[in-house]
Amino acid sequence: MPLEEDIDNLIRIIALKNSVEHEGKAQADAVIAKFIGSRPDKRSTIKTLIPEIRSIVQSINNMSLAEQTSMLEKLAPEQLVKKQAVESAPSLPPLEGAIMGQVVTRFPPEPNGYPHIGHAKAAIIDEEYARMYNGKLILRFDDTNPLKEKLEYYDAIREGLDWLGVKPDIVKNTSDDISLIQEYGRKLVELGGAYVCTCSQQTMHDLRAKGLPCECRKDQSEALSRLEKLFNGSYKQNEAIIRFKGDMADQNTAMRDPTLFRIIEGDHPKLGSKIRVWPTYDFAAPIEDSLDGVTHAMRTKEYELRNALYFAILDRLGLRKPMMIEFSRLEFEGIPVSKRKIKPLIENGLIKSWDDPRLPTLSAFRRRGFVPEAIRKFVISLGITLAETKPPFEALEAYNRKVIDPVSMRLFFVKDPVELHVEGARAMEVVLKNHPTDAALGSRKIQVSDRFYISSDDTNLNVGDEIRLIELYNVKITKIERKDGKVLSVSAMPSGSEIQQSMPKIQWVAKEDIFDLQVLTPKQLYIGEEYNTNSLEVVKGVTESFMSGLKHGTVVQFVRFGFCRIDSDGTAIFTHR
Ligand code: ATP
Ligand code: MG
């Protein structure tokens, strides 16, 4: 049986990516696992797909690496962590219909949570276009639901954007215009383009499914008196709403008389409890965009069906229409890039704070040692495509590495330390450069004796092996003490200083110079649909005492381990390799 086109496509993309990452040979098992990860809905029927997956993998393995790369480039360019792209500055394509000096864009977050990398994508694209055309960027807090919004979140969004270096020309709240928006709502009812509906949710649900109008829509004689009642407080919450007069039988379900206003009793962070009739996003967004002079309204693709409503509202009110541009939502495999998904994790206590390093929030990226410049380049490299595939997290890491590598000190960290005794080694002071090429990063002095720590990961050794202690000397293993298969200690003797290609070259810490360090290492939060209970690994080890003099917030590169940002005394957070 031939595969559905989207499934076939997805499998090809996964297989090509796997192959390109492994010198041109994809592994069927890895491809199957990845596929289930992206399409957990297919888990139960995976058996029927396996032969197809194997045959796709085989056909791809018959291609050359160059052919595979160019095919992946065609099918899913965002999957290629392009070396030259990381090297050069990416840029966005020209904006349709843009006139120099007249472009107005806006970034409209709802202050109902902390900003994440998806918001960074939207805000950076909005800002880049405003700058490209010498125009303006509006930051508009889309705050029309008093039950969800909090001052804390407005502040968090401002802070996140500041950190990113996104500088809006105008900052406003949708709630600033609440009276005006209500006026337009009334006007729309008066014009017969909307009506006050008192039907129950169940009634509307059933009528929608049947494609039939309700009594409130049919009988307009009371529309205006109901409108008065709505605004003078005669209705309670859920007793009446304003609906757009669309078409209950429209193919596009978003046009089946959607809600434009509802009564919400609550304390709004800016307006308190004086406003009760609140517009929905569907109504407030087009009115605000139009009145704010927005020329290019950009939003994510999931709103696609609602574009018709957006323009119909402006049409009926005779308001100017901005151009609408869509791009895909940014998602990463196993990481929820959405406040809606992050908030419950925090509310359930699975995650303690919005800056937990496993989260894709801006505060978490900052805490992990990601820099704004890298996030911006990464976002621009994604462009404004509608591609459904998730970019690899490694692409973001590659941009970040490019920025932090030249400015981070190289230090030694020894995970899960095992003692190394170098018999007969003399005590001395060694001076190590903090960076191989940048002398400005200085150097450090370390007192070494005959006792060291090396990582248990590096103790897969045999007596007689020669290893290089990086930047020090070579030693020859003389004894390995083991218990229950675990190496307890290693003895060696000095064996010269000439570096041989074949020697394992490992980092070390002098026994008299240690600083205990734990490294919080974030892993994917979800494996498929399942919360990963091991998503925050704590790696314990020792580093050099030099570390104690470094400020919190400093990013260092632990040789053969990866980049880490110092979070607090004795704790660092793993950035990436
Ligand atoms: P969330 O699920 O995080 O609440 P949202 O779309 O409801 O998402 P808003 O605060 O309303 O969040 O979003 C503000 C802007 O950011 C919108 O224009 C939205 O399209 C964009 N945006 C939100 N999430 C993403 C994402 N993951 N990728 C790209 N853009 C996003
Ligand atoms: Mg929203």
Side-chain angles (χ1 to χ4, degrees):
M1 202 180 62
L3 293 174
E4 295 158 53
E5 199 184 319
D6 61 328
I7 298 286
D8 184 90
N9 216 15
L10 180 62
I11 296 170
R12 278 180 203 283
I13 291 170
I14 294 172
L16 284 166
K17 178 161 185 257
N18 185 264
S19 181
V20 168
E21 283 169 1
H22 297 94
E23 281 114 40
K25 287 284 166 259
Q27 285 250 324
D29 292 341
V31 174
I32 294 165
K34 274 263 178 230
F35 174 75
I36 297 175
S38 333
R39 291 293 299 258
D41 57 308
K42 297 284 176 197
R43 183 187 292 273
S44 56
T45 52
I46 190 71
K47 279 234 163 66
T48 63
L49 292 173
I50 285 178
E52 297 290 347
I53 297 181
R54 290 196 185 282
S55 107
I56 290 176
V57 167
Q58 187 154 33
S59 71
I60 283 172
N61 283 346
N62 287 336
M63 297 160 63
S64 71
L65 180 57
E67 286 168 329
Q68 293 168 350
T69 310
S70 86
M71 189 164 185
L72 183 57
E73 167 97 63
K74 267 197 216 109
L75 285 178
E78 72 288 350
Q79 296 294 329
L80 280 174
V81 182
K82 282 181 238 127
K83 258 230 146 67
Q84 72 276 37
V86 174
E87 296 301 318
S88 68
S91 64
L92 289 171
L95 190 59
E96 199 188 325
I99 300 173
M100 191 49 89
Q102 293 180 24
V103 168
V104 179
T105 60
R106 91 291 184 257
F107 170 59
E110 182 178 1
N112 65 345
Y114 278 61
H116 50 61
I117 187 134
H119 293 115
K121 174 175 178 183
I124 287 170
I125 290 176
D126 285 320
E127 185 186 48
E128 287 285 327
Y129 278 126
R131 300 290 162 258
M132 191 185 289
Y133 291 97
N134 239 328
K136 283 199 167 68
L137 167 69
I138 301 172
L139 165 60
R140 185 177 76 222
F141 287 102
D142 216 342
D143 54 348
T144 61
N145 185 346
L147 300 179
K148 291 199 185 153
E149 292 134 17
K150 283 195 199 157
L151 281 182
E152 177 192 351
Y153 300 142
Y154 292 78
D155 292 344
I157 293 168
R158 284 304 291 267
E159 261 172 49
L161 293 179
D162 269 356
W163 176 70
L164 270 185
V166 170
K167 296 190 186 71
D169 299 289
I170 297 167
V171 181
K172 63 171 292 190
N173 308 311
T174 299
S175 64
D176 300 342
D177 296 331
I178 192 70
S179 308
L180 197 59
I181 297 170
Q182 288 184 340
E183 277 313 307
Y184 276 106
R186 283 172 185 264
K187 190 168 160 198
L188 195 58
V189 175
E190 286 159 14
L191 289 169
Y195 58 97
V196 178
C197 177
T198 55
C199 295
S200 70
Q201 276 193 2
Q202 189 58 49
T203 307
M204 282 314 288
H205 179 84
D206 297 345
L207 289 173
R208 259 208 192 107
K210 292 186 194 137
L212 296 174
C214 69
E215 290 306 316
C216 308
R217 171 169 174 154
K218 282 192 248 168
D219 177 13
Q220 287 288 292
S221 60
E222 287 188 40
L224 295 184
S225 68
R226 283 183 169 191
L227 187 61
E228 273 331 294
K229 280 172 71 180
L230 181 69
F231 280 99
N232 71 20
S234 307
Y235 291 118
K236 293 204 211 52
Q237 198 162 302
N238 296 325
E239 281 185 353
I241 59 177
I242 297 181
R243 281 187 194 289
F244 183 75
K245 201 183 277 177
D247 177 354
M248 288 295 278
D250 201 310
Q251 285 288 317
N252 177 354
T253 49
M255 292 303 282
R256 295 186 189 172
D257 292 18
T259 305
L260 301 184
F261 284 87
R262 69 271 196 235
I263 299 169
I264 302 176
E265 308 273 6
D267 233 346
H268 188 274
K270 301 276 174 186
L271 299 179
S273 54
K274 71 176 192 236
I275 300 291
R276 295 175 71 245
V277 183
W278 288 97
T280 56
Y281 168 81
D282 282 332
F283 191 71
I287 304 284
E288 287 283 282
D289 286 351
S290 185
L291 299 182
D292 288 342
V294 172
T295 56
H296 294 76
M298 289 177 250
R299 60 183 183 183
T300 40
K301 197 172 160 241
E302 80 263 25
Y303 294 103
E304 205 169 28
L305 290 179
R306 287 145 87 177
N307 287 349
L309 177 60
Y310 181 101
F311 290 118
I313 289 170
L314 294 178
D315 245 342
R316 286 191 197 173
L317 288 168
L319 292 172
R320 184 194 60 92
K321 290 180 213 151
M323 184 174 306
M324 179 65 73
I325 293 170
E326 280 144 340
F327 51 79
S328 58
R329 261 188 101 82
L330 173 57
E331 310 263 352
F332 290 115
E333 188 65 47
I335 311 174
V337 186
S338 163
K339 286 174 286 187
R340 251 162 302 186
K341 294 185 196 152
I342 298 171
K343 226 173 175 179
L345 293 172
I346 290 178
E347 282 161 358
N348 302 338
L350 278 176
I351 284 195
K352 279 209 217 71
S353 60
W354 287 94
D355 65 356
D356 184 288
R358 289 167 287 181
L359 293 178
T361 53
L362 297 181
S363 46
F365 276 116
R366 176 182 195 168
R367 216 178 138 200
R368 268 180 82 167
F370 280 79
V371 293
E373 181 188 344
I375 294 180
R376 186 175 290 259
K377 285 194 172 146
F378 168 70
V379 161
I380 295 173
S381 78
L382 299 173
I384 46 168
T385 66
L386 296 170
E388 286 285 4
T389 43
K390 299 169 182 163
F393 196 79
E394 298 82 48
L396 173 57
E397 294 180 345
Y399 280 108
N400 201 58
R401 191 176 300 111
K402 175 89 178 9
V403 183
I404 64 177
D405 184 87
V407 295
S408 306
M409 292 185 192
R410 308 293 195 263
L411 300 178
F412 293 154
F413 170 69
V414 165
K415 170 186 164 187
D416 192 11
V418 168
E419 192 170 328
L420 168 71
H421 182 197
V422 183
E423 287 155 18
R426 60 188 175 89
M428 60 179 176
E429 181 180 270
V430 290
V431 179
L432 300 186
K433 282 195 279 185
N434 292 337
H435 192 275
T437 54
D438 187 355
L441 284 171
S443 60
R444 59 197 192 277
K445 289 187 184 133
I446 303 173
Q447 300 296 330
V448 300
S449 65
D450 59 347
R451 307 270 167 178
F452 299 87
Y453 287 112
I454 59 174
S455 170
S456 70
D457 287 354
D458 292 325
T459 57
N460 191 6
L461 298 164
N462 295 308
V463 169
D465 285 353
E466 231 185 328
I467 57 177
R468 168 83 183 175
L469 299 178
I470 297 175
E471 311 241 10
L472 195 61
Y473 44 58
N474 309 333
V475 299
K476 190 175 213 153
I477 308 302
T478 53
K479 198 166 98 194
I480 300 173
E481 208 181 320
R482 291 192 171 86
K483 194 178 169 201
D484 305 330
K486 201 175 165 346
V487 175
L488 297 182
S489 66
V490 178
S491 301
M493 57 183 200
S495 64
S497 57
E498 197 174 320
I499 304 175
Q500 306 288 339
Q501 271 303 331
S502 59
M503 287 177 185
K505 296 164 193 75
I506 66 174
Q507 77 279 19
W508 48 272
V509 172
K511 191 175 178 185
E512 286 78 31
D513 186 48
I514 60 167
F515 181 78
D516 287 308
L517 184 73
Q518 59 167 6
V519 179
L520 304 182
T521 309
K523 300 270 146 92
Q524 253 179 236
L525 253 184
Y526 286 88
I527 307 285
E529 299 287 280
E530 206 101 346
Y531 175 77
N532 176 8
T533 47
N534 297 318
S535 48
L536 193 62
E537 197 189 328
V538 181
V539 175
K540 296 206 158 133
V542 292
T543 180
E544 310 165 36
S545 67
F546 181 76
M547 188 79 173
S548 65
L550 297 180
K551 286 205 198 78
H552 297 172
T554 307
V555 175
V556 299
Q557 183 182 9
F558 288 130
V559 174
R560 296 179 67 235
F561 183 80
F563 292 90
C564 291
R565 181 176 181 274
I566 305 171
D567 190 59
S568 57
D569 287 340
T571 302
I573 298 181
F574 188 70
T575 314
H576 47 66
R577 282 198 71 89

